[in-house]
Amino acid sequence: MAVIRKTKKIGEILVDAGLLTNAQIEEALNVSKRTGARLGRTLVNMGIVTEEGITQALAQQLGISSIPLAGIIIESQIIKLIPEILARKHKVIPIVKEGNSLKVAMFDPLNVLAMDDLKKASGCEILPLVATESEIQKAIDQYYGMTTGSVEEIAKRLEGSGIELLKGEEEATERLERIAGESSIIQMVNLMISQAVAERASDIHIEPDEDTLRIRMRVDGILHEMSNISFKLHPAVISRVKILSGLDIAEKRLPQDGRFNVKVGNADIDIRLSTLPTLFGEKAVLRLLNKSAQLLRLEELTPLHDTLVTLKKMIAKPYGMILLTGPTGSGKTTTAYSILNMINSMDKNIVTVEDPIEYHLKIINQVQVNPKIGITFANALRHILRQDPDIVMIGEIRDKETAEIAIHAALTGHLVISTIHTNNAVGTINRLLDMGIEPYLIASAIVCLVGQRLIRGICPKCKAPYQPSPALLQELGIPASEKIPTLYKGQGCTVCKGSGLKGRLGIYEVLVINDEIRRLIVEKKDTNSMLAAAIKNGFKTLRYEGIRAVARGYTAIEEVLQATQEIE
């Protein structure tokens, strides 16, 4: 907590910092008295010092932090803690609440009256942060007056505001920039992002249709409609997210990719933007990566902890390759990070090559793929192997070249952890063979294949026992005559938005490559032969693990049927 020990005036602080002289202060004070403007604003207007200079000097001299407001999204409930009249009077903007403390950006943190007024209004202890006056003023104009209602309500207020483009203006970059910079559009996009973060969404879809603009967000793997607003707002909303990502707002014919970072409350959110030209205009998808999210322990990824015993034994091996497999969105990267977090220590040199880097891990050396300058998975991996690594994590094996280098690393005394896109653990072997990898290399290098899925859990608020139909049991492979435990499903409530499902859990199949499986790989036997040999040695399929999760009341039968299939 910042404590301002001694009450000083801004002028004294700036003189102490060597930014101006006593004579300049006197001159500025005289001008300030005549005009009625604040001293700080007068100094800036006179060109004696910049706003940034004042901010940096105050932060350094008072021992408090400065904050750039451009990359901050302030939640509406935080704005409501400080009345607009006080925000404008004292040039302040609330940022985030932590316990009973409220962080507030101020141009003049020495203003004792302001601190007292803010404390009385919010009922919180005030923690001052320093920001430029112009940024604070812009934030006040942006957030106040638009702090209530949903995206649809803001959109209705905008419909009659002339925000849309007229015919012939679609290519006018200046007009696009102007409407995208309107405070109401900025507030709307901010509200979309903050709402998605609050709902734990992984993606936001901005989709133009014939006469409407549809906003959807993906929560627990399922898309939900967030709002449906006037198509007139499409150019402004798309231009706003493209400006944030540094993309060309005038280019609408080609797909574009970009990224930007925002802070929502205490969460640092990395946003990847992808645009795609469609029949009715550009569609945009924003992938949200919460860098502040706490990395889960391996045991927290699944309630079926006994399945992880074998995986932990494989992780403890000094060398070899562990491949995590499954379709997009099955949680492979999260599992890889959890494994690294578990084995991370000061006596190991762990290096990763990723695209993108989703979590920052202490001690571990992480490399971001950048094909534009020649840093591909394969190229980066070659250089990593010259860095004396003990453990290497490859974000994804996409081609033969990367696979061969990774296998070489596994065969020369390194533990290699990577992901690959296949439907199940056994199918990974055929995937590598199809890439052109020699069977003997696969058999020698791989120690373990892990198939995984993310399935939705039953909502704890509306969970209730039920009797499934015989047809449903038969589809799951359970005879109707067999005695089954009490099964559960969600009835649907406000917490789960009527779906009966809330949150997600992982199910895993762990295939250890033993001598028998190695022989079958070298002989290029079919998948069914390898699967039969694995099951004989205790291998449990994803479908089997899903049935266990259903029997223990963690998920519903329909979720398992949708996420898994029996290998014929």
Side-chain angles (χ1 to χ4, degrees):
M1 175 179 174
V3 178
I4 301 173
R5 298 182 179 85
K6 182 180 177 182
T7 303
K8 274 187 173 184
K9 295 180 179 179
I10 283 184
E12 295 175 47
I13 296 282
L14 297 176
V15 170
D16 289 346
L19 292 177
L20 52 135
T21 65
N22 285 315
Q24 289 173 314
I25 283 289
E26 287 297 326
E27 182 184 358
L29 281 170
N30 290 331
V31 174
S32 183
K33 286 175 183 177
R34 286 201 314 270
T35 62
R38 295 168 182 265
L39 176 61
R41 173 49 54 192
T42 301
L43 288 166
V44 172
N45 291 342
M46 292 173 67
I48 297 173
V49 67
T50 63
E51 280 191 284
E52 290 74 16
I54 294 175
T55 299
Q56 291 170 10
L58 287 171
Q60 186 174 358
Q61 293 288 316
L62 299 175
I64 60 180
S65 299
S66 62
I67 183 169
L69 295 180
I72 301 289
I73 292 179
I74 308 170
E75 296 169 319
S76 59
Q77 62 266 33
I78 300 300
I79 291 293
K80 292 174 185 176
L81 293 173
I82 301 296
E84 182 178 357
I85 190 170
L86 283 183
R88 293 192 182 279
K89 176 184 176 182
H90 296 303
K91 292 292 195 307
V92 300
I93 190 86
I95 302 297
V96 65
K97 189 172 182 283
E98 296 176 345
N100 195 43
S101 298
L102 180 64
K103 289 184 176 180
V104 178
M106 309 176 70
F107 179 63
D108 182 5
L110 299 167
N111 189 334
V112 178
L113 291 176
M115 297 284 279
D116 289 341
D117 285 349
L118 297 177
K119 183 175 181 179
K120 287 176 186 175
S122 65
C124 301
E125 291 297 321
I126 303 300
L127 299 180
L129 302 169
V130 191
T132 64
E133 187 176 7
S134 59
E135 277 195 320
I136 292 173
Q137 187 61 58
K138 186 176 179 181
I140 291 171
D141 293 339
Q142 175 184 321
Y143 284 101
Y144 284 98
M146 301 289 287
T147 58
T148 58
S150 62
V151 170
E152 292 98 328
E153 289 169 333
I154 295 175
K156 284 177 184 176
R157 283 181 249 173
L158 286 169
E159 280 190 41
S161 66
I163 201 81
E164 80 235 57
L165 290 176
L166 301 175
K167 285 186 178 180
E169 292 186 315
E170 287 84 356
E171 308 303 324
T173 304
E174 297 82 6
R175 172 70 171 148
L176 281 170
E177 288 176 344
R178 189 159 60 252
I179 65 169
E182 292 280 345
S183 62
S184 50
I185 291 297
I186 293 171
Q187 177 66 12
M188 179 184 288
V189 172
N190 286 352
L191 185 57
M192 287 179 196
I193 295 172
S194 61
Q195 185 179 337
V197 171
E199 294 279 351
R200 301 176 297 104
S202 60
D203 304 85
I204 301 172
H205 292 239
I206 303 172
E207 304 168 320
D209 209 332
E210 188 169 8
D211 55 2
T212 189
L213 180 61
R214 184 172 49 252
I215 314 295
R216 295 192 290 172
M217 60 180 171
R218 188 178 297 278
V219 180
D220 294 335
I222 304 297
L223 279 170
H224 302 273
E225 187 169 87
M226 182 190 293
S227 54
N228 211 313
I229 62 180
S230 171
F231 183 78
K232 296 175 182 178
L233 301 176
H234 172 251
V237 173
I238 292 293
S239 295
R240 174 60 187 164
V241 295
K242 288 171 79 172
I243 286 171
L244 287 170
S245 305
L247 302 184
D248 182 358
I249 62 173
E251 179 56 76
K252 304 178 184 66
R253 301 163 301 171
L254 298 173
Q256 295 186 69
D257 294 294
R259 60 183 292 181
F260 61 99
N261 295 285
V262 296
K263 194 173 180 70
V264 182
N266 288 319
D268 290 313
I269 309 297
D270 186 16
I271 299 180
R272 311 297 168 99
L273 171 67
S274 172
T275 67
L276 184 71
T278 68
L279 178 62
F280 298 109
E282 286 182 288
K283 173 183 175 177
V285 175
L286 289 79
R287 167 63 56 90
L288 310 181
L289 300 174
N290 188 346
K291 292 183 175 180
S292 303
Q294 190 168 357
L295 196 59
L296 296 174
R297 294 185 301 111
L298 203 55
E299 292 80 6
E300 294 175 294
L301 300 178
T302 177
L304 305 173
H305 296 161
D306 52 333
T307 305
L308 299 177
V309 172
T310 305
L311 178 57
K312 287 179 180 178
K313 287 179 182 176
M314 297 299 105
I315 294 166
K317 289 183 175 292
Y319 58 87
M321 179 184 283
I322 297 173
L323 282 177
L324 308 171
T325 182
T328 301
S330 59
K332 301 184 296 295
T333 303
T334 299
T335 301
Y337 275 117
S338 298
I339 290 171
L340 290 182
N341 201 40
M342 186 178 79
I343 59 181
N344 190 15
S345 67
M346 193 59 72
D347 62 352
K348 292 186 179 76
N349 177 22
I350 303 177
V351 188
T352 75
V353 53
E354 308 170 55
D355 184 27
I357 296 174
E358 294 187 19
Y359 295 93
H360 294 170
L361 303 175
K362 292 183 179 179
I363 309 175
I364 294 175
N365 305 283
Q366 296 173 268
V367 178
Q368 170 68 53
V369 167
N370 189 346
K372 291 180 181 178
I373 59 173
I375 305 178
T376 61
F377 278 109
N379 193 27
L381 194 50
R382 286 193 191 92
H383 291 281
I384 285 171
L385 294 178
R386 300 171 194 155
Q387 292 281 314
D388 185 33
D390 297 295
I391 299 165
V392 177
M393 195 274 271
I394 306 164
E396 184 183 345
I397 290 180
R398 299 174 179 173
D399 50 54
K400 179 182 179 182
E401 186 181 15
T402 305
E404 286 180 335
I405 300 169
I407 285 173
H408 173 73
L411 291 173
T412 53
H414 305 90
L415 180 63
V416 178
I417 300 165
S418 188
T419 72
I420 190 167
H421 285 279
T422 61
N423 289 326
N424 50 58
V426 177
T428 306
I429 296 166
N430 278 340
R431 177 82 175 93
L432 292 171
L433 289 171
D434 290 342
M435 281 185 180
I437 307 300
E438 292 294 334
Y440 73 91
L441 290 175
I442 299 171
S444 303
I446 297 176
V447 296
C448 177
L449 298 170
V450 182
Q452 66 178 89
R453 292 291 188 278
L454 285 176
I455 55 178
R456 291 183 292 171
I458 299 172
C459 175
K461 289 290 184 183
C462 58
K463 182 177 180 179
Y466 87 113
Q467 180 61 46
S469 67
L472 201 57
L473 290 173
Q474 185 177 4
E475 191 174 350
L476 200 60
I478 302 174
S481 58
E482 186 172 325
K483 185 177 179 180
I484 61 172
T486 303
L487 300 184
Y488 295 87
K489 72 182 301 183
Q491 303 301 302
C493 64
T494 55
V495 173
C496 61
K497 294 182 169 57
S499 67
L501 299 162
K502 185 72 175 175
R504 292 204 282 182
L505 57 99
I507 53 173
Y508 293 83
E509 57 179 17
V510 183
L511 174 60
V512 176
I513 307 299
N514 57 22
D515 289 341
E516 185 177 1
I517 299 294
R518 287 191 185 94
R519 177 180 57 79
L520 294 173
I521 293 172
V522 172
E523 293 173 0
K524 293 187 178 181
K525 294 293 184 180
D526 60 76
T527 298
N528 286 336
S529 299
M530 294 186 208
L531 179 62
I535 291 174
K536 186 179 70 175
N537 286 283
F539 173 68
K540 304 294 190 297
T541 65
L542 283 169
R543 173 61 63 88
Y544 181 90
E545 292 295 279
I547 293 171
R548 289 178 64 210
V550 169
R552 297 187 185 188
Y554 296 129
T555 190
I557 291 177
E558 293 82 358
E559 281 295 297
V560 173
L561 289 173
Q562 185 177 346
T564 67
Q565 63 181 17
E566 286 290 5
I567 302 175
E568 297 179 357

